[in-house]
PDB file of all heavy atoms in Angstrom:
ATOM      1  N   HIS A 290       0.787  -1.236   0.026  1.00 94.00           N
ATOM      2  CA  HIS A 290      -0.048  -0.022   0.029  1.00 94.00           C
ATOM      3  C   HIS A 290       0.807   1.317  -0.002  1.00 94.00           C
ATOM      4  O   HIS A 290       0.490   2.258  -0.660  1.00 94.00           O
ATOM      5  CB  HIS A 290      -0.904  -0.056   1.204  1.00 94.00           C
ATOM      6  CG  HIS A 290      -1.718  -1.202   1.295  1.00 94.00           C
ATOM      7  ND1 HIS A 290      -1.575  -2.194   2.165  1.00 94.00           N
ATOM      8  CD2 HIS A 290      -2.828  -1.580   0.511  1.00 94.00           C
ATOM      9  CE1 HIS A 290      -2.547  -3.241   1.981  1.00 94.00           C
ATOM     10  NE2 HIS A 290      -3.245  -2.846   0.985  1.00 94.00           N
ATOM     11  N   ARG A 291       1.951   1.309   0.703  1.00 95.00           N
ATOM     12  CA  ARG A 291       2.783   2.468   0.833  1.00 95.00           C
ATOM     13  C   ARG A 291       3.893   2.557  -0.262  1.00 95.00           C
ATOM     14  O   ARG A 291       4.324   3.600  -0.584  1.00 95.00           O
ATOM     15  CB  ARG A 291       3.382   2.640   2.209  1.00 95.00           C
ATOM     16  CG  ARG A 291       2.236   2.694   3.289  1.00 95.00           C
ATOM     17  CD  ARG A 291       2.916   2.872   4.691  1.00 95.00           C
ATOM     18  NE  ARG A 291       1.837   3.001   5.647  1.00 95.00           N
ATOM     19  CZ  ARG A 291       1.431   1.989   6.386  1.00 95.00           C
ATOM     20  NH1 ARG A 291       2.029   0.787   6.284  1.00 95.00           N
ATOM     21  NH2 ARG A 291       0.443   2.091   7.192  1.00 95.00           N
ATOM     22  N   THR A 292       4.378   1.439  -0.694  1.00 96.00           N
ATOM     23  CA  THR A 292       5.430   1.406  -1.779  1.00 96.00           C
ATOM     24  C   THR A 292       5.071   0.365  -2.856  1.00 96.00           C
ATOM     25  O   THR A 292       5.812  -0.490  -3.176  1.00 96.00           O
ATOM     26  CB  THR A 292       6.827   1.053  -1.217  1.00 96.00           C
ATOM     27  OG1 THR A 292       6.720  -0.220  -0.604  1.00 96.00           O
ATOM     28  CG2 THR A 292       7.228   2.058  -0.095  1.00 96.00           C
ATOM     29  N   PRO A 293       3.852   0.517  -3.438  1.00 96.00           N
ATOM     30  CA  PRO A 293       3.438  -0.462  -4.447  1.00 96.00           C
ATOM     31  C   PRO A 293       4.356  -0.499  -5.633  1.00 96.00           C
ATOM     32  O   PRO A 293       4.554  -1.672  -6.239  1.00 96.00           O
ATOM     33  CB  PRO A 293       2.010  -0.040  -4.848  1.00 96.00           C
ATOM     34  CG  PRO A 293       1.986   1.401  -4.456  1.00 96.00           C
ATOM     35  CD  PRO A 293       2.893   1.575  -3.216  1.00 96.00           C
ATOM     36  N   ASP A 294       4.979   0.605  -6.103  1.00 97.00           N
ATOM     37  CA  ASP A 294       5.766   0.650  -7.211  1.00 97.00           C
ATOM     38  C   ASP A 294       7.001  -0.219  -6.924  1.00 97.00           C
ATOM     39  O   ASP A 294       7.539  -0.976  -7.828  1.00 97.00           O
ATOM     40  CB  ASP A 294       6.101   1.992  -7.703  1.00 97.00           C
ATOM     41  CG  ASP A 294       4.866   2.692  -8.224  1.00 97.00           C
ATOM     42  OD1 ASP A 294       3.937   2.094  -8.690  1.00 97.00           O
ATOM     43  OD2 ASP A 294       4.902   3.958  -8.232  1.00 97.00           O
ATOM     44  N   ALA A 295       7.651  -0.010  -5.771  1.00 97.00           N
ATOM     45  CA  ALA A 295       8.825  -0.728  -5.409  1.00 97.00           C
ATOM     46  C   ALA A 295       8.584  -2.198  -5.303  1.00 97.00           C
ATOM     47  O   ALA A 295       9.316  -3.038  -5.730  1.00 97.00           O
ATOM     48  CB  ALA A 295       9.416  -0.199  -4.085  1.00 97.00           C
ATOM     49  N   ALA A 296       7.428  -2.633  -4.708  1.00 98.00           N
ATOM     50  CA  ALA A 296       7.090  -4.001  -4.529  1.00 98.00           C
ATOM     51  C   ALA A 296       6.922  -4.623  -5.947  1.00 98.00           C
ATOM     52  O   ALA A 296       7.421  -5.751  -6.121  1.00 98.00           O
ATOM     53  CB  ALA A 296       5.807  -4.127  -3.743  1.00 98.00           C
ATOM     54  N   ALA A 297       6.234  -3.935  -6.833  1.00 98.00           N
ATOM     55  CA  ALA A 297       5.994  -4.486  -8.176  1.00 98.00           C
ATOM     56  C   ALA A 297       7.280  -4.599  -8.926  1.00 98.00           C
ATOM     57  O   ALA A 297       7.548  -5.613  -9.575  1.00 98.00           O
ATOM     58  CB  ALA A 297       5.051  -3.567  -9.072  1.00 98.00           C
ATOM     59  N   ALA A 298       8.148  -3.584  -8.879  1.00 98.00           N
ATOM     60  CA  ALA A 298       9.423  -3.668  -9.554  1.00 98.00           C
ATOM     61  C   ALA A 298      10.323  -4.809  -9.011  1.00 98.00           C
ATOM     62  O   ALA A 298      10.920  -5.561  -9.762  1.00 98.00           O
ATOM     63  CB  ALA A 298      10.204  -2.307  -9.424  1.00 98.00           C
ATOM     64  N   PHE A 299      10.357  -4.960  -7.648  1.00 98.00           N
ATOM     65  CA  PHE A 299      11.115  -6.045  -7.112  1.00 98.00           C
ATOM     66  C   PHE A 299      10.569  -7.421  -7.622  1.00 98.00           C
ATOM     67  O   PHE A 299      11.396  -8.238  -8.159  1.00 98.00           O
ATOM     68  CB  PHE A 299      11.068  -6.016  -5.559  1.00 98.00           C
ATOM     69  CG  PHE A 299      11.848  -7.149  -4.968  1.00 98.00           C
ATOM     70  CD1 PHE A 299      13.223  -6.860  -4.580  1.00 98.00           C
ATOM     71  CD2 PHE A 299      11.326  -8.404  -4.792  1.00 98.00           C
ATOM     72  CE1 PHE A 299      13.976  -7.842  -4.075  1.00 98.00           C
ATOM     73  CE2 PHE A 299      12.111  -9.349  -4.195  1.00 98.00           C
ATOM     74  CZ  PHE A 299      13.400  -9.110  -3.844  1.00 98.00           C
ATOM     75  N   SER A 300       9.339  -7.622  -7.636  1.00 98.00           N
ATOM     76  CA  SER A 300       8.759  -8.844  -8.064  1.00 98.00           C
ATOM     77  C   SER A 300       8.945  -9.075  -9.557  1.00 98.00           C
ATOM     78  O   SER A 300       9.335 -10.198  -9.956  1.00 98.00           O
ATOM     79  CB  SER A 300       7.295  -8.861  -7.751  1.00 98.00           C
ATOM     80  OG  SER A 300       6.724 -10.170  -7.902  1.00 98.00           O
ATOM     81  N   LYS A 301       8.777  -7.985 -10.378  1.00 98.00           N
ATOM     82  CA  LYS A 301       8.970  -8.231 -11.783  1.00 98.00           C
ATOM     83  C   LYS A 301      10.396  -8.646 -12.177  1.00 98.00           C
ATOM     84  O   LYS A 301      10.621  -9.382 -13.179  1.00 98.00           O
ATOM     85  CB  LYS A 301       8.764  -6.893 -12.494  1.00 98.00           C
ATOM     86  CG  LYS A 301       7.248  -6.513 -12.672  1.00 98.00           C
ATOM     87  CD  LYS A 301       7.205  -5.125 -13.410  1.00 98.00           C
ATOM     88  CE  LYS A 301       5.717  -4.696 -13.456  1.00 98.00           C
ATOM     89  NZ  LYS A 301       5.548  -3.330 -14.027  1.00 98.00           N
ATOM     90  N   ASN A 302      11.311  -8.232 -11.389  1.00 98.00           N
ATOM     91  CA  ASN A 302      12.733  -8.466 -11.657  1.00 98.00           C
ATOM     92  C   ASN A 302      13.383  -9.590 -10.752  1.00 98.00           C
ATOM     93  O   ASN A 302      14.520  -9.843 -10.923  1.00 98.00           O
ATOM     94  CB  ASN A 302      13.563  -7.228 -11.503  1.00 98.00           C
ATOM     95  CG  ASN A 302      13.114  -6.161 -12.470  1.00 98.00           C
ATOM     96  OD1 ASN A 302      13.067  -6.401 -13.678  1.00 98.00           O
ATOM     97  ND2 ASN A 302      12.719  -4.972 -11.974  1.00 98.00           N
ATOM     98  N   ALA A 303      12.568 -10.233  -9.933  1.00 98.00           N
ATOM     99  CA  ALA A 303      13.128 -11.152  -8.920  1.00 98.00           C
ATOM    100  C   ALA A 303      13.795 -12.284  -9.614  1.00 98.00           C
ATOM    101  O   ALA A 303      14.882 -12.702  -9.271  1.00 98.00           O
ATOM    102  CB  ALA A 303      11.979 -11.649  -8.030  1.00 98.00           C
ATOM    103  N   LYS A 304      13.201 -12.915 -10.607  1.00 98.00           N
ATOM    104  CA  LYS A 304      13.811 -14.066 -11.329  1.00 98.00           C
ATOM    105  C   LYS A 304      15.145 -13.685 -11.950  1.00 98.00           C
ATOM    106  O   LYS A 304      16.118 -14.354 -11.776  1.00 98.00           O
ATOM    107  CB  LYS A 304      12.803 -14.623 -12.295  1.00 98.00           C
ATOM    108  CG  LYS A 304      13.315 -15.930 -12.904  1.00 98.00           C
ATOM    109  CD  LYS A 304      12.278 -16.531 -13.882  1.00 98.00           C
ATOM    110  CE  LYS A 304      12.709 -17.859 -14.436  1.00 98.00           C
ATOM    111  NZ  LYS A 304      11.704 -18.502 -15.264  1.00 98.00           N
ATOM    112  N   GLU A 305      15.202 -12.607 -12.678  1.00 98.00           N
ATOM    113  CA  GLU A 305      16.415 -12.155 -13.308  1.00 98.00           C
ATOM    114  C   GLU A 305      17.468 -11.750 -12.232  1.00 98.00           C
ATOM    115  O   GLU A 305      18.658 -11.783 -12.529  1.00 98.00           O
ATOM    116  CB  GLU A 305      16.169 -10.893 -14.196  1.00 98.00           C
ATOM    117  CG  GLU A 305      15.300 -11.191 -15.390  1.00 98.00           C
ATOM    118  CD  GLU A 305      13.814 -11.365 -15.108  1.00 98.00           C
ATOM    119  OE1 GLU A 305      13.318 -10.871 -14.043  1.00 98.00           O
ATOM    120  OE2 GLU A 305      13.130 -12.066 -15.870  1.00 98.00           O
ATOM    121  N   ASN A 306      17.046 -11.471 -11.076  1.00 98.00           N
ATOM    122  CA  ASN A 306      18.029 -11.091  -9.979  1.00 98.00           C
ATOM    123  C   ASN A 306      18.492 -12.295  -9.209  1.00 98.00           C
ATOM    124  O   ASN A 306      19.004 -12.184  -8.046  1.00 98.00           O
ATOM    125  CB  ASN A 306      17.386  -9.993  -9.126  1.00 98.00           C
ATOM    126  CG  ASN A 306      17.460  -8.607  -9.864  1.00 98.00           C
ATOM    127  OD1 ASN A 306      18.265  -8.354 -10.669  1.00 98.00           O
ATOM    128  ND2 ASN A 306      16.380  -7.829  -9.590  1.00 98.00           N
ATOM    129  N   GLY A 307      18.128 -13.476  -9.629  1.00 98.00           N
ATOM    130  CA  GLY A 307      18.605 -14.681  -9.017  1.00 98.00           C
ATOM    131  C   GLY A 307      17.752 -15.370  -7.887  1.00 98.00           C
ATOM    132  O   GLY A 307      18.200 -16.218  -7.262  1.00 98.00           O
ATOM    133  N   PHE A 308      16.497 -14.857  -7.802  1.00 98.00           N
ATOM    134  CA  PHE A 308      15.658 -15.437  -6.750  1.00 98.00           C
ATOM    135  C   PHE A 308      14.877 -16.616  -7.382  1.00 98.00           C
ATOM    136  O   PHE A 308      14.610 -16.705  -8.626  1.00 98.00           O
ATOM    137  CB  PHE A 308      14.615 -14.361  -6.320  1.00 98.00           C
ATOM    138  CG  PHE A 308      15.234 -13.308  -5.551  1.00 98.00           C
ATOM    139  CD1 PHE A 308      15.647 -12.073  -6.112  1.00 98.00           C
ATOM    140  CD2 PHE A 308      15.524 -13.493  -4.143  1.00 98.00           C
ATOM    141  CE1 PHE A 308      16.267 -11.011  -5.369  1.00 98.00           C
ATOM    142  CE2 PHE A 308      16.159 -12.485  -3.470  1.00 98.00           C
ATOM    143  CZ  PHE A 308      16.526 -11.334  -4.072  1.00 98.00           C
ATOM    144  N   GLY A 309      14.557 -17.614  -6.527  1.00 98.00           N
ATOM    145  CA  GLY A 309      13.797 -18.729  -6.967  1.00 98.00           C
ATOM    146  C   GLY A 309      12.464 -18.866  -6.270  1.00 98.00           C
ATOM    147  O   GLY A 309      11.595 -19.679  -6.667  1.00 98.00           O
ATOM    148  N   ALA A 310      12.208 -18.044  -5.199  1.00 98.00           N
ATOM    149  CA  ALA A 310      10.994 -18.079  -4.493  1.00 98.00           C
ATOM    150  C   ALA A 310      10.908 -16.776  -3.656  1.00 98.00           C
ATOM    151  O   ALA A 310      11.878 -16.197  -3.369  1.00 98.00           O
ATOM    152  CB  ALA A 310      10.783 -19.228  -3.636  1.00 98.00           C
ATOM    153  N   ILE A 311       9.651 -16.416  -3.370  1.00 98.00           N
ATOM    154  CA  ILE A 311       9.421 -15.236  -2.520  1.00 98.00           C
ATOM    155  C   ILE A 311       8.546 -15.559  -1.324  1.00 98.00           C
ATOM    156  O   ILE A 311       7.549 -16.196  -1.519  1.00 98.00           O
ATOM    157  CB  ILE A 311       8.770 -14.093  -3.298  1.00 98.00           C
ATOM    158  CG1 ILE A 311       9.635 -13.579  -4.497  1.00 98.00           C
ATOM    159  CG2 ILE A 311       8.408 -12.925  -2.357  1.00 98.00           C
ATOM    160  CD1 ILE A 311       8.934 -12.720  -5.479  1.00 98.00           C
ATOM    161  N   ILE A 312       9.027 -15.243  -0.116  1.00 98.00           N
ATOM    162  CA  ILE A 312       8.185 -15.329   0.980  1.00 98.00           C
ATOM    163  C   ILE A 312       7.726 -13.892   1.362  1.00 98.00           C
ATOM    164  O   ILE A 312       8.536 -12.962   1.475  1.00 98.00           O
ATOM    165  CB  ILE A 312       8.947 -15.892   2.247  1.00 98.00           C
ATOM    166  CG1 ILE A 312       9.485 -17.269   1.972  1.00 98.00           C
ATOM    167  CG2 ILE A 312       8.158 -15.819   3.556  1.00 98.00           C
ATOM    168  CD1 ILE A 312      10.414 -17.832   3.090  1.00 98.00           C
ATOM    169  N   ALA A 313       6.364 -13.733   1.513  1.00 98.00           N
ATOM    170  CA  ALA A 313       5.828 -12.431   1.765  1.00 98.00           C
ATOM    171  C   ALA A 313       5.038 -12.420   3.048  1.00 98.00           C
ATOM    172  O   ALA A 313       4.074 -13.227   3.148  1.00 98.00           O
ATOM    173  CB  ALA A 313       4.922 -12.008   0.637  1.00 98.00           C
ATOM    174  N   ALA A 314       5.343 -11.579   3.973  1.00 97.00           N
ATOM    175  CA  ALA A 314       4.756 -11.574   5.255  1.00 97.00           C
ATOM    176  C   ALA A 314       4.033 -10.247   5.443  1.00 97.00           C
ATOM    177  O   ALA A 314       4.620  -9.137   5.200  1.00 97.00           O
ATOM    178  CB  ALA A 314       5.747 -11.733   6.393  1.00 97.00           C
ATOM    179  N   ALA A 315       2.798 -10.278   5.944  1.00 94.00           N
ATOM    180  CA  ALA A 315       2.071  -9.081   6.185  1.00 94.00           C
ATOM    181  C   ALA A 315       0.987  -9.401   7.236  1.00 94.00           C
ATOM    182  O   ALA A 315       0.440 -10.490   7.175  1.00 94.00           O
ATOM    183  CB  ALA A 315       1.516  -8.450   4.928  1.00 94.00           C
ATOM    184  N   GLY A 316       0.620  -8.356   8.003  1.00 92.00           N
ATOM    185  CA  GLY A 316      -0.593  -8.440   8.807  1.00 92.00           C
ATOM    186  C   GLY A 316      -1.721  -7.575   8.360  1.00 92.00           C
ATOM    187  O   GLY A 316      -1.646  -7.002   7.305  1.00 92.00           O
ATOM    188  N   MET A 317      -2.700  -7.568   9.027  1.00 90.00           N
ATOM    189  CA  MET A 317      -3.964  -6.875   8.801  1.00 90.00           C
ATOM    190  C   MET A 317      -4.456  -7.081   7.337  1.00 90.00           C
ATOM    191  O   MET A 317      -4.891  -8.227   7.016  1.00 90.00           O
ATOM    192  CB  MET A 317      -3.743  -5.387   9.098  1.00 90.00           C
ATOM    193  CG  MET A 317      -3.461  -5.235  10.525  1.00 90.00           C
ATOM    194  SD  MET A 317      -3.219  -3.710  11.432  1.00 90.00           S
ATOM    195  CE  MET A 317      -3.143  -2.369  10.387  1.00 90.00           C
ATOM    196  N   ALA A 318      -4.544  -6.069   6.446  1.00 81.00           N
ATOM    197  CA  ALA A 318      -5.122  -6.295   5.092  1.00 81.00           C
ATOM    198  C   ALA A 318      -4.279  -7.312   4.276  1.00 81.00           C
ATOM    199  O   ALA A 318      -4.783  -7.986   3.447  1.00 81.00           O
ATOM    200  CB  ALA A 318      -5.098  -4.970   4.343  1.00 81.00           C
ATOM    201  N   ALA A 319      -2.950  -7.445   4.558  1.00 87.00           N
ATOM    202  CA  ALA A 319      -2.096  -8.471   4.034  1.00 87.00           C
ATOM    203  C   ALA A 319      -2.239  -8.694   2.520  1.00 87.00           C
ATOM    204  O   ALA A 319      -2.316  -9.821   2.062  1.00 87.00           O
ATOM    205  CB  ALA A 319      -2.407  -9.832   4.739  1.00 87.00           C
ATOM    206  N   HIS A 320      -2.062  -7.605   1.766  1.00 93.00           N
ATOM    207  CA  HIS A 320      -2.131  -7.752   0.321  1.00 93.00           C
ATOM    208  C   HIS A 320      -0.711  -7.957  -0.368  1.00 93.00           C
ATOM    209  O   HIS A 320      -0.660  -8.187  -1.559  1.00 93.00           O
ATOM    210  CB  HIS A 320      -2.743  -6.539  -0.327  1.00 93.00           C
ATOM    211  CG  HIS A 320      -4.248  -6.391   0.049  1.00 93.00           C
ATOM    212  ND1 HIS A 320      -4.667  -5.288   0.709  1.00 93.00           N
ATOM    213  CD2 HIS A 320      -5.300  -7.217  -0.061  1.00 93.00           C
ATOM    214  CE1 HIS A 320      -5.993  -5.432   0.911  1.00 93.00           C
ATOM    215  NE2 HIS A 320      -6.352  -6.595   0.497  1.00 93.00           N
ATOM    216  N   LEU A 321       0.262  -7.993   0.484  1.00 97.00           N
ATOM    217  CA  LEU A 321       1.652  -8.020  -0.067  1.00 97.00           C
ATOM    218  C   LEU A 321       1.925  -9.267  -0.913  1.00 97.00           C
ATOM    219  O   LEU A 321       2.357  -9.186  -2.030  1.00 97.00           O
ATOM    220  CB  LEU A 321       2.725  -7.891   1.048  1.00 97.00           C
ATOM    221  CG  LEU A 321       4.136  -7.857   0.615  1.00 97.00           C
ATOM    222  CD1 LEU A 321       4.371  -6.694  -0.359  1.00 97.00           C
ATOM    223  CD2 LEU A 321       5.005  -7.813   1.840  1.00 97.00           C
ATOM    224  N   ALA A 322       1.529 -10.428  -0.426  1.00 97.00           N
ATOM    225  CA  ALA A 322       1.816 -11.629  -1.182  1.00 97.00           C
ATOM    226  C   ALA A 322       1.094 -11.655  -2.511  1.00 97.00           C
ATOM    227  O   ALA A 322       1.717 -12.009  -3.515  1.00 97.00           O
ATOM    228  CB  ALA A 322       1.412 -12.864  -0.331  1.00 97.00           C
ATOM    229  N   GLY A 323      -0.136 -11.197  -2.528  1.00 97.00           N
ATOM    230  CA  GLY A 323      -0.915 -11.174  -3.737  1.00 97.00           C
ATOM    231  C   GLY A 323      -0.347 -10.164  -4.734  1.00 97.00           C
ATOM    232  O   GLY A 323      -0.219 -10.468  -5.975  1.00 97.00           O
ATOM    233  N   VAL A 324       0.080  -9.053  -4.281  1.00 97.00           N
ATOM    234  CA  VAL A 324       0.680  -8.054  -5.129  1.00 97.00           C
ATOM    235  C   VAL A 324       1.936  -8.548  -5.760  1.00 97.00           C
ATOM    236  O   VAL A 324       2.173  -8.441  -6.993  1.00 97.00           O
ATOM    237  CB  VAL A 324       0.988  -6.726  -4.427  1.00 97.00           C
ATOM    238  CG1 VAL A 324       1.815  -5.788  -5.198  1.00 97.00           C
ATOM    239  CG2 VAL A 324      -0.391  -6.043  -4.103  1.00 97.00           C
ATOM    240  N   LEU A 325       2.814  -9.166  -4.960  1.00 98.00           N
ATOM    241  CA  LEU A 325       4.082  -9.716  -5.506  1.00 98.00           C
ATOM    242  C   LEU A 325       3.719 -10.875  -6.479  1.00 98.00           C
ATOM    243  O   LEU A 325       4.369 -10.971  -7.502  1.00 98.00           O
ATOM    244  CB  LEU A 325       4.913 -10.220  -4.318  1.00 98.00           C
ATOM    245  CG  LEU A 325       5.496  -9.181  -3.348  1.00 98.00           C
ATOM    246  CD1 LEU A 325       6.122  -9.818  -2.135  1.00 98.00           C
ATOM    247  CD2 LEU A 325       6.373  -8.168  -4.071  1.00 98.00           C
ATOM    248  N   ALA A 326       2.775 -11.655  -6.127  1.00 98.00           N
ATOM    249  CA  ALA A 326       2.471 -12.859  -7.065  1.00 98.00           C
ATOM    250  C   ALA A 326       1.970 -12.373  -8.385  1.00 98.00           C
ATOM    251  O   ALA A 326       2.108 -12.979  -9.426  1.00 98.00           O
ATOM    252  CB  ALA A 326       1.486 -13.726  -6.324  1.00 98.00           C
TER     253      ALA A 326
END
């Protein structure tokens, strides 16, 4: 909610940056995992 562009950019580039999986933790509204996915 506060840095959606940064979260989207990180996720879009995660594979190219050597990541094989993402763990996303959030409380309350908890939209982070869905946005990254």
Side-chain angles (χ1 to χ4, degrees):
H290 304 106
R291 294 183 185 99
T292 60
D294 293 338
F299 182 91
S300 190
K301 282 179 188 177
N302 297 305
K304 187 173 184 178
E305 291 77 22
N306 289 328
F308 292 96
I311 299 172
I312 298 173
M317 300 187 345
H320 295 122
L321 183 59
V324 166
L325 295 172

